[in-house]
Amino acid sequence: MYDAVVIGAGPGGYVAAVKLGQRGKKVALVEKSFVGGTCTNWGCIPTKALLSSAHLYSEIVEKSRQLGINVEGVSYDFTAIKNHMNKVVTMSRKGIEYLLKKYNVELINGEATVESHNLVRVADKLFETKNIIIATGSYPSLISPFDKLDGLWTSDDVFTMEALPQSILIVGGGVIGVEFATFFSTLKIPVTIVELMEHILPTEDKDVAEVVAKTLRKRGVEIYESSKVIDVEPVDNGFKCVVETAQGTIERTAHKVLISVGRRPKIGEDLKALGIEIQRGIKTNNKMQTNIPNIYAIGDVRGQIMLAHVAMYEGVVAAKNICGEEAQMDYSAVPSVIFSNPEVASVGLHEKDVDPSKIKIFSFPLSANGRARTILEKDGFAKVIADKETLKVLGMTIVGPAATDMIMEGVVAVRNGLSARELEESIHPHPTLSEMVLGAIEGVVERPIHL
Ligand code: NAD
């Protein structure tokens, strides 16, 4: 009898399995493909590898002369870029496999079906278990009119491309759309983005999207906001898209079309037959239990916040509850990170969602930061939202280099109810980009020294 069978070895599943293994539980982890799931194999890790190559290329092309470095004949080799990506993915997978072995997690290769509350089948083998964790993830949405046509790309297809496209039209200017637009446009591939909402990255504030759009446009990206692809048809060497924009209907032809309009939870028929409650995804309480108390669900399959780091934390909470600890998931400070150029990160409340009469808000520009000048960066800002009376930090947004790392100051502040004054009194090292965050903190307390 197993203590737990975990289905799906993505960031949620493998973390839950490792946590259970570390606590001495008998645990099996079932995976039909590679360990690491979407994040390691077709998501976070390979995109960041691609973006690192593109970023270095743009740094050399755009900055080397000003920084006094002579570089002749700069070019890139896409096969080598892909080799780098594949190596990083393989190393990450091996790292996970090592951890599973180290903590005695039994890795089962195959497709699992849940036969009953306590029984999981993989091929002809049955696993009897006290608990089950569903961590089967999600798949890219293909909405109409894109669902009827072969040859359109989702993010999964980008990683298997043998050569770069001659041009690409990206439907959906969310996180995936913007990260790939950043990659392709940096390598000088013509890119068009069609975004349904008023601006790209619609979950972030408008001023954030404007900074990112400015860099993308500088690299030749055409961006159509409040727009929709209403028809797509194959033509010689690509696709013709009919785009309904605010200014009227236009046609754009591109070699490849990438659909990045969100993802859907992957819920098997076995679970539906078992009577698992579904609401967008598998419904759980804050202990990650479904309506069947010994069956837990974590990560994208819940259809809520589809982020690897959220899945990992949900995995830890599920594992702790299986071990008899009373753990509850806390969603009060979930960071969002976007590897655009410049990077974007936010946590807690956004300006667009708050009543301006109840808060204090201050934006400090990257252009006033000394460290940014040394690396020739000026586009970006840090924005802090605090309670008007208590100065408790309610939200933070950072746009600029290393924003995705620097957001941790905001995460700790929002999660622990720290006030802007407490952050202001914490010494920020000089000269660093983190002083841009300090500038915004000072701005809500009184006024920034350096502005
Ligand atoms: P998303 O929800 O971030 O973006 C989808 C975008 O498509 C939205 O901007 C939406 O307005 C737009 N859209 C929807 N229908 C459209 C239509 N018919 N025409 C034009 N635009 C349309 O989803 P995604 O970018 O596909 O990413 C999927 C998931 O993966 C998200 O939950 C995302 O957070 C996650 N992800 C995270 C990271 C990261 O953390 N850095 C990176 C990649 C993906």
Side-chain angles (χ1 to χ4, degrees), residues 38-69:
T38 299
C39 176
T40 303
N41 299 289
W42 307 278
C44 329
I45 296 296
T47 348
K48 266 80 263 178
L50 292 177
L51 282 165
S52 298
S53 295
H55 184 67
L56 178 60
Y57 177 68
S58 70
E59 291 278 290
I60 294 169
V61 170
E62 292 165 14
K63 293 184 179 173
S64 57
R65 201 168 289 273
Q66 260 182 287
L67 289 172
I69 310 295

PDB file of all heavy atoms in Angstrom, residues 38-69:
ATOM      1  N   THR A  38       5.483  20.467 -18.509  1.00  0.00           N
ATOM      2  CA  THR A  38       5.533  21.565 -19.477  1.00  0.00           C
ATOM      3  C   THR A  38       6.665  22.532 -19.135  1.00  0.00           C
ATOM      4  O   THR A  38       7.430  22.940 -20.007  1.00  0.00           O
ATOM      5  CB  THR A  38       4.181  22.319 -19.484  1.00  0.00           C
ATOM      6  OG1 THR A  38       3.163  21.394 -19.864  1.00  0.00           O
ATOM      7  CG2 THR A  38       4.190  23.476 -20.474  1.00  0.00           C
ATOM      8  N   CYS A  39       6.779  22.890 -17.866  1.00  0.00           N
ATOM      9  CA  CYS A  39       7.765  23.909 -17.462  1.00  0.00           C
ATOM     10  C   CYS A  39       9.183  23.555 -17.909  1.00  0.00           C
ATOM     11  O   CYS A  39       9.869  24.345 -18.538  1.00  0.00           O
ATOM     12  CB  CYS A  39       7.712  24.074 -15.947  1.00  0.00           C
ATOM     13  SG  CYS A  39       8.944  25.204 -15.318  1.00  0.00           S
ATOM     14  N   THR A  40       9.595  22.324 -17.614  1.00  0.00           N
ATOM     15  CA  THR A  40      10.978  21.933 -17.903  1.00  0.00           C
ATOM     16  C   THR A  40      11.194  21.631 -19.388  1.00  0.00           C
ATOM     17  O   THR A  40      12.261  21.917 -19.928  1.00  0.00           O
ATOM     18  CB  THR A  40      11.339  20.680 -17.075  1.00  0.00           C
ATOM     19  OG1 THR A  40      11.117  20.996 -15.710  1.00  0.00           O
ATOM     20  CG2 THR A  40      12.772  20.241 -17.284  1.00  0.00           C
ATOM     21  N   ASN A  41      10.172  21.055 -20.023  1.00  0.00           N
ATOM     22  CA  ASN A  41      10.379  20.532 -21.376  1.00  0.00           C
ATOM     23  C   ASN A  41       9.855  21.422 -22.498  1.00  0.00           C
ATOM     24  O   ASN A  41      10.449  21.496 -23.566  1.00  0.00           O
ATOM     25  CB  ASN A  41       9.728  19.153 -21.478  1.00  0.00           C
ATOM     26  CG  ASN A  41      10.345  18.185 -20.487  1.00  0.00           C
ATOM     27  OD1 ASN A  41      11.484  17.769 -20.659  1.00  0.00           O
ATOM     28  ND2 ASN A  41       9.621  17.855 -19.425  1.00  0.00           N
ATOM     29  N   TRP A  42       8.717  22.102 -22.262  1.00  0.00           N
ATOM     30  CA  TRP A  42       8.084  22.907 -23.327  1.00  0.00           C
ATOM     31  C   TRP A  42       7.624  24.253 -22.819  1.00  0.00           C
ATOM     32  O   TRP A  42       6.645  24.806 -23.288  1.00  0.00           O
ATOM     33  CB  TRP A  42       6.869  22.162 -23.910  1.00  0.00           C
ATOM     34  CG  TRP A  42       7.174  20.775 -24.354  1.00  0.00           C
ATOM     35  CD1 TRP A  42       7.732  20.417 -25.551  1.00  0.00           C
ATOM     36  CD2 TRP A  42       6.957  19.561 -23.633  1.00  0.00           C
ATOM     37  NE1 TRP A  42       7.886  19.059 -25.596  1.00  0.00           N
ATOM     38  CE2 TRP A  42       7.420  18.509 -24.443  1.00  0.00           C
ATOM     39  CE3 TRP A  42       6.425  19.273 -22.383  1.00  0.00           C
ATOM     40  CZ2 TRP A  42       7.374  17.179 -24.038  1.00  0.00           C
ATOM     41  CZ3 TRP A  42       6.382  17.947 -21.971  1.00  0.00           C
ATOM     42  CH2 TRP A  42       6.841  16.926 -22.786  1.00  0.00           C
ATOM     43  N   GLY A  43       8.283  24.772 -21.801  1.00  0.00           N
ATOM     44  CA  GLY A  43       7.779  26.017 -21.208  1.00  0.00           C
ATOM     45  C   GLY A  43       8.882  26.863 -20.624  1.00  0.00           C
ATOM     46  O   GLY A  43       9.814  27.270 -21.322  1.00  0.00           O
ATOM     47  N   CYS A  44       8.804  27.086 -19.314  1.00  0.00           N
ATOM     48  CA  CYS A  44       9.695  28.027 -18.625  1.00  0.00           C
ATOM     49  C   CYS A  44      11.168  27.845 -18.996  1.00  0.00           C
ATOM     50  O   CYS A  44      11.834  28.802 -19.404  1.00  0.00           O
ATOM     51  CB  CYS A  44       9.614  27.860 -17.104  1.00  0.00           C
ATOM     52  SG  CYS A  44       8.050  27.334 -16.435  1.00  0.00           S
ATOM     53  N   ILE A  45      11.667  26.630 -18.858  1.00  0.00           N
ATOM     54  CA  ILE A  45      13.115  26.422 -18.986  1.00  0.00           C
ATOM     55  C   ILE A  45      13.604  26.612 -20.437  1.00  0.00           C
ATOM     56  O   ILE A  45      14.510  27.429 -20.686  1.00  0.00           O
ATOM     57  CB  ILE A  45      13.522  25.042 -18.396  1.00  0.00           C
ATOM     58  CG1 ILE A  45      13.228  25.010 -16.888  1.00  0.00           C
ATOM     59  CG2 ILE A  45      14.988  24.698 -18.688  1.00  0.00           C
ATOM     60  CD1 ILE A  45      14.017  25.985 -16.035  1.00  0.00           C
ATOM     61  N   PRO A  46      13.018  25.907 -21.432  1.00  0.00           N
ATOM     62  CA  PRO A  46      13.522  26.142 -22.796  1.00  0.00           C
ATOM     63  C   PRO A  46      13.318  27.578 -23.291  1.00  0.00           C
ATOM     64  O   PRO A  46      14.175  28.101 -24.006  1.00  0.00           O
ATOM     65  CB  PRO A  46      12.736  25.139 -23.658  1.00  0.00           C
ATOM     66  CG  PRO A  46      11.587  24.695 -22.827  1.00  0.00           C
ATOM     67  CD  PRO A  46      12.012  24.828 -21.398  1.00  0.00           C
ATOM     68  N   THR A  47      12.216  28.238 -22.897  1.00  0.00           N
ATOM     69  CA  THR A  47      12.035  29.641 -23.344  1.00  0.00           C
ATOM     70  C   THR A  47      13.139  30.515 -22.781  1.00  0.00           C
ATOM     71  O   THR A  47      13.648  31.385 -23.476  1.00  0.00           O
ATOM     72  CB  THR A  47      10.714  30.294 -22.826  1.00  0.00           C
ATOM     73  OG1 THR A  47       9.881  29.335 -22.296  1.00  0.00           O
ATOM     74  CG2 THR A  47      10.052  31.151 -23.839  1.00  0.00           C
ATOM     75  N   LYS A  48      13.455  30.307 -21.500  1.00  0.00           N
ATOM     76  CA  LYS A  48      14.481  31.154 -20.896  1.00  0.00           C
ATOM     77  C   LYS A  48      15.842  30.879 -21.525  1.00  0.00           C
ATOM     78  O   LYS A  48      16.667  31.779 -21.648  1.00  0.00           O
ATOM     79  CB  LYS A  48      14.535  30.972 -19.381  1.00  0.00           C
ATOM     80  CG  LYS A  48      13.692  31.979 -18.633  1.00  0.00           C
ATOM     81  CD  LYS A  48      12.232  31.667 -18.589  1.00  0.00           C
ATOM     82  CE  LYS A  48      11.352  32.346 -19.592  1.00  0.00           C
ATOM     83  NZ  LYS A  48       9.943  31.945 -19.512  1.00  0.00           N
ATOM     84  N   ALA A  49      16.089  29.636 -21.948  1.00  0.00           N
ATOM     85  CA  ALA A  49      17.349  29.329 -22.645  1.00  0.00           C
ATOM     86  C   ALA A  49      17.382  30.076 -23.978  1.00  0.00           C
ATOM     87  O   ALA A  49      18.390  30.723 -24.313  1.00  0.00           O
ATOM     88  CB  ALA A  49      17.477  27.822 -22.859  1.00  0.00           C
ATOM     89  N   LEU A  50      16.289  30.024 -24.729  1.00  0.00           N
ATOM     90  CA  LEU A  50      16.231  30.738 -26.023  1.00  0.00           C
ATOM     91  C   LEU A  50      16.411  32.239 -25.802  1.00  0.00           C
ATOM     92  O   LEU A  50      17.160  32.916 -26.514  1.00  0.00           O
ATOM     93  CB  LEU A  50      14.885  30.492 -26.718  1.00  0.00           C
ATOM     94  CG  LEU A  50      14.582  29.086 -27.231  1.00  0.00           C
ATOM     95  CD1 LEU A  50      13.174  29.024 -27.817  1.00  0.00           C
ATOM     96  CD2 LEU A  50      15.598  28.649 -28.281  1.00  0.00           C
ATOM     97  N   LEU A  51      15.694  32.758 -24.781  1.00  0.00           N
ATOM     98  CA  LEU A  51      15.756  34.205 -24.530  1.00  0.00           C
ATOM     99  C   LEU A  51      17.146  34.643 -24.079  1.00  0.00           C
ATOM    100  O   LEU A  51      17.557  35.769 -24.351  1.00  0.00           O
ATOM    101  CB  LEU A  51      14.703  34.594 -23.483  1.00  0.00           C
ATOM    102  CG  LEU A  51      13.268  34.680 -24.029  1.00  0.00           C
ATOM    103  CD1 LEU A  51      12.252  34.694 -22.890  1.00  0.00           C
ATOM    104  CD2 LEU A  51      13.083  35.918 -24.914  1.00  0.00           C
ATOM    105  N   SER A  52      17.885  33.751 -23.413  1.00  0.00           N
ATOM    106  CA  SER A  52      19.244  34.116 -22.984  1.00  0.00           C
ATOM    107  C   SER A  52      20.143  34.313 -24.193  1.00  0.00           C
ATOM    108  O   SER A  52      20.950  35.252 -24.243  1.00  0.00           O
ATOM    109  CB  SER A  52      19.838  33.030 -22.073  1.00  0.00           C
ATOM    110  OG  SER A  52      19.052  32.935 -20.924  1.00  0.00           O
ATOM    111  N   SER A  53      20.007  33.428 -25.198  1.00  0.00           N
ATOM    112  CA  SER A  53      20.799  33.596 -26.425  1.00  0.00           C
ATOM    113  C   SER A  53      20.414  34.901 -27.112  1.00  0.00           C
ATOM    114  O   SER A  53      21.279  35.687 -27.516  1.00  0.00           O
ATOM    115  CB  SER A  53      20.550  32.438 -27.398  1.00  0.00           C
ATOM    116  OG  SER A  53      21.014  31.243 -26.837  1.00  0.00           O
ATOM    117  N   ALA A  54      19.118  35.139 -27.233  1.00  0.00           N
ATOM    118  CA  ALA A  54      18.644  36.344 -27.920  1.00  0.00           C
ATOM    119  C   ALA A  54      19.100  37.591 -27.170  1.00  0.00           C
ATOM    120  O   ALA A  54      19.532  38.583 -27.784  1.00  0.00           O
ATOM    121  CB  ALA A  54      17.122  36.316 -28.028  1.00  0.00           C
ATOM    122  N   HIS A  55      19.059  37.539 -25.848  1.00  0.00           N
ATOM    123  CA  HIS A  55      19.427  38.704 -25.042  1.00  0.00           C
ATOM    124  C   HIS A  55      20.914  39.033 -25.215  1.00  0.00           C
ATOM    125  O   HIS A  55      21.284  40.195 -25.409  1.00  0.00           O
ATOM    126  CB  HIS A  55      19.103  38.432 -23.567  1.00  0.00           C
ATOM    127  CG  HIS A  55      19.357  39.608 -22.683  1.00  0.00           C
ATOM    128  ND1 HIS A  55      18.622  40.766 -22.765  1.00  0.00           N
ATOM    129  CD2 HIS A  55      20.281  39.829 -21.716  1.00  0.00           C
ATOM    130  CE1 HIS A  55      19.071  41.641 -21.885  1.00  0.00           C
ATOM    131  NE2 HIS A  55      20.083  41.094 -21.237  1.00  0.00           N
ATOM    132  N   LEU A  56      21.742  37.998 -25.188  1.00  0.00           N
ATOM    133  CA  LEU A  56      23.187  38.247 -25.361  1.00  0.00           C
ATOM    134  C   LEU A  56      23.449  38.854 -26.739  1.00  0.00           C
ATOM    135  O   LEU A  56      24.234  39.798 -26.893  1.00  0.00           O
ATOM    136  CB  LEU A  56      23.970  36.943 -25.190  1.00  0.00           C
ATOM    137  CG  LEU A  56      25.485  37.065 -25.391  1.00  0.00           C
ATOM    138  CD1 LEU A  56      26.109  38.050 -24.410  1.00  0.00           C
ATOM    139  CD2 LEU A  56      26.163  35.694 -25.248  1.00  0.00           C
ATOM    140  N   TYR A  57      22.771  38.324 -27.743  1.00  0.00           N
ATOM    141  CA  TYR A  57      22.923  38.838 -29.113  1.00  0.00           C
ATOM    142  C   TYR A  57      22.563  40.331 -29.160  1.00  0.00           C
ATOM    143  O   TYR A  57      23.322  41.152 -29.678  1.00  0.00           O
ATOM    144  CB  TYR A  57      22.027  38.028 -30.049  1.00  0.00           C
ATOM    145  CG  TYR A  57      22.038  38.495 -31.483  1.00  0.00           C
ATOM    146  CD1 TYR A  57      23.177  38.355 -32.272  1.00  0.00           C
ATOM    147  CD2 TYR A  57      20.897  39.080 -32.044  1.00  0.00           C
ATOM    148  CE1 TYR A  57      23.174  38.791 -33.591  1.00  0.00           C
ATOM    149  CE2 TYR A  57      20.892  39.508 -33.355  1.00  0.00           C
ATOM    150  CZ  TYR A  57      22.037  39.359 -34.123  1.00  0.00           C
ATOM    151  OH  TYR A  57      22.036  39.800 -35.434  1.00  0.00           O
ATOM    152  N   SER A  58      21.430  40.688 -28.549  1.00  0.00           N
ATOM    153  CA  SER A  58      21.014  42.099 -28.605  1.00  0.00           C
ATOM    154  C   SER A  58      21.948  42.980 -27.788  1.00  0.00           C
ATOM    155  O   SER A  58      22.231  44.113 -28.166  1.00  0.00           O
ATOM    156  CB  SER A  58      19.561  42.268 -28.142  1.00  0.00           C
ATOM    157  OG  SER A  58      19.463  42.028 -26.760  1.00  0.00           O
ATOM    158  N   GLU A  59      22.455  42.453 -26.682  1.00  0.00           N
ATOM    159  CA  GLU A  59      23.398  43.239 -25.869  1.00  0.00           C
ATOM    160  C   GLU A  59      24.648  43.563 -26.693  1.00  0.00           C
ATOM    161  O   GLU A  59      25.132  44.686 -26.679  1.00  0.00           O
ATOM    162  CB  GLU A  59      23.810  42.457 -24.612  1.00  0.00           C
ATOM    163  CG  GLU A  59      22.712  42.272 -23.585  1.00  0.00           C
ATOM    164  CD  GLU A  59      22.512  43.469 -22.675  1.00  0.00           C
ATOM    165  OE1 GLU A  59      23.399  43.731 -21.842  1.00  0.00           O
ATOM    166  OE2 GLU A  59      21.487  44.143 -22.810  1.00  0.00           O
ATOM    167  N   ILE A  60      25.145  42.555 -27.430  1.00  0.00           N
ATOM    168  CA  ILE A  60      26.352  42.775 -28.229  1.00  0.00           C
ATOM    169  C   ILE A  60      26.054  43.763 -29.362  1.00  0.00           C
ATOM    170  O   ILE A  60      26.788  44.734 -29.566  1.00  0.00           O
ATOM    171  CB  ILE A  60      26.885  41.433 -28.794  1.00  0.00           C
ATOM    172  CG1 ILE A  60      27.354  40.536 -27.646  1.00  0.00           C
ATOM    173  CG2 ILE A  60      28.030  41.663 -29.772  1.00  0.00           C
ATOM    174  CD1 ILE A  60      27.654  39.099 -28.037  1.00  0.00           C
ATOM    175  N   VAL A  61      24.939  43.523 -30.070  1.00  0.00           N
ATOM    176  CA  VAL A  61      24.617  44.375 -31.219  1.00  0.00           C
ATOM    177  C   VAL A  61      24.336  45.811 -30.769  1.00  0.00           C
ATOM    178  O   VAL A  61      24.813  46.769 -31.371  1.00  0.00           O
ATOM    179  CB  VAL A  61      23.388  43.799 -31.977  1.00  0.00           C
ATOM    180  CG1 VAL A  61      22.878  44.769 -33.024  1.00  0.00           C
ATOM    181  CG2 VAL A  61      23.738  42.460 -32.608  1.00  0.00           C
ATOM    182  N   GLU A  62      23.559  45.956 -29.685  1.00  0.00           N
ATOM    183  CA  GLU A  62      23.068  47.292 -29.333  1.00  0.00           C
ATOM    184  C   GLU A  62      23.991  48.059 -28.394  1.00  0.00           C
ATOM    185  O   GLU A  62      23.944  49.282 -28.348  1.00  0.00           O
ATOM    186  CB  GLU A  62      21.665  47.174 -28.698  1.00  0.00           C
ATOM    187  CG  GLU A  62      20.613  46.728 -29.698  1.00  0.00           C
ATOM    188  CD  GLU A  62      19.311  46.260 -29.044  1.00  0.00           C
ATOM    189  OE1 GLU A  62      19.112  46.515 -27.833  1.00  0.00           O
ATOM    190  OE2 GLU A  62      18.500  45.631 -29.756  1.00  0.00           O
ATOM    191  N   LYS A  63      24.855  47.349 -27.637  1.00  0.00           N
ATOM    192  CA  LYS A  63      25.586  48.070 -26.586  1.00  0.00           C
ATOM    193  C   LYS A  63      27.107  48.021 -26.685  1.00  0.00           C
ATOM    194  O   LYS A  63      27.781  48.842 -26.053  1.00  0.00           O
ATOM    195  CB  LYS A  63      25.199  47.499 -25.211  1.00  0.00           C
ATOM    196  CG  LYS A  63      23.768  47.756 -24.799  1.00  0.00           C
ATOM    197  CD  LYS A  63      23.558  47.227 -23.406  1.00  0.00           C
ATOM    198  CE  LYS A  63      22.163  47.471 -22.909  1.00  0.00           C
ATOM    199  NZ  LYS A  63      21.938  46.796 -21.613  1.00  0.00           N
ATOM    200  N   SER A  64      27.656  47.040 -27.396  1.00  0.00           N
ATOM    201  CA  SER A  64      29.104  46.807 -27.280  1.00  0.00           C
ATOM    202  C   SER A  64      29.910  48.051 -27.648  1.00  0.00           C
ATOM    203  O   SER A  64      30.863  48.412 -26.953  1.00  0.00           O
ATOM    204  CB  SER A  64      29.523  45.607 -28.130  1.00  0.00           C
ATOM    205  OG  SER A  64      29.164  45.809 -29.466  1.00  0.00           O
ATOM    206  N   ARG A  65      29.520  48.748 -28.719  1.00  0.00           N
ATOM    207  CA  ARG A  65      30.290  49.915 -29.163  1.00  0.00           C
ATOM    208  C   ARG A  65      30.330  50.979 -28.061  1.00  0.00           C
ATOM    209  O   ARG A  65      31.385  51.498 -27.718  1.00  0.00           O
ATOM    210  CB  ARG A  65      29.654  50.487 -30.437  1.00  0.00           C
ATOM    211  CG  ARG A  65      30.606  51.331 -31.252  1.00  0.00           C
ATOM    212  CD  ARG A  65      30.027  51.622 -32.610  1.00  0.00           C
ATOM    213  NE  ARG A  65      30.003  50.437 -33.471  1.00  0.00           N
ATOM    214  CZ  ARG A  65      31.016  50.048 -34.236  1.00  0.00           C
ATOM    215  NH1 ARG A  65      32.147  50.723 -34.228  1.00  0.00           N
ATOM    216  NH2 ARG A  65      30.923  48.982 -34.989  1.00  0.00           N
ATOM    217  N   GLN A  66      29.153  51.267 -27.469  1.00  0.00           N
ATOM    218  CA  GLN A  66      29.079  52.299 -26.425  1.00  0.00           C
ATOM    219  C   GLN A  66      29.851  51.910 -25.171  1.00  0.00           C
ATOM    220  O   GLN A  66      30.357  52.757 -24.451  1.00  0.00           O
ATOM    221  CB  GLN A  66      27.617  52.528 -26.034  1.00  0.00           C
ATOM    222  CG  GLN A  66      27.011  53.771 -26.695  1.00  0.00           C
ATOM    223  CD  GLN A  66      25.596  53.950 -26.218  1.00  0.00           C
ATOM    224  OE1 GLN A  66      24.732  53.193 -26.624  1.00  0.00           O
ATOM    225  NE2 GLN A  66      25.372  54.935 -25.359  1.00  0.00           N
ATOM    226  N   LEU A  67      29.954  50.604 -24.947  1.00  0.00           N
ATOM    227  CA  LEU A  67      30.683  50.144 -23.761  1.00  0.00           C
ATOM    228  C   LEU A  67      32.173  49.967 -24.061  1.00  0.00           C
ATOM    229  O   LEU A  67      32.938  49.517 -23.215  1.00  0.00           O
ATOM    230  CB  LEU A  67      30.077  48.829 -23.247  1.00  0.00           C
ATOM    231  CG  LEU A  67      28.692  48.954 -22.595  1.00  0.00           C
ATOM    232  CD1 LEU A  67      28.091  47.590 -22.303  1.00  0.00           C
ATOM    233  CD2 LEU A  67      28.742  49.767 -21.300  1.00  0.00           C
ATOM    234  N   GLY A  68      32.579  50.303 -25.277  1.00  0.00           N
ATOM    235  CA  GLY A  68      33.993  50.290 -25.627  1.00  0.00           C
ATOM    236  C   GLY A  68      34.526  48.932 -26.021  1.00  0.00           C
ATOM    237  O   GLY A  68      35.730  48.667 -25.917  1.00  0.00           O
ATOM    238  N   ILE A  69      33.673  48.068 -26.455  1.00  0.00           N
ATOM    239  CA  ILE A  69      34.113  46.732 -26.868  1.00  0.00           C
ATOM    240  C   ILE A  69      33.944  46.626 -28.383  1.00  0.00           C
ATOM    241  O   ILE A  69      32.851  46.868 -28.903  1.00  0.00           O
ATOM    242  CB  ILE A  69      33.276  45.618 -26.181  1.00  0.00           C
ATOM    243  CG1 ILE A  69      33.202  45.830 -24.660  1.00  0.00           C
ATOM    244  CG2 ILE A  69      33.807  44.231 -26.520  1.00  0.00           C
ATOM    245  CD1 ILE A  69      34.515  45.714 -23.922  1.00  0.00           C
TER     246      ILE A  69
END
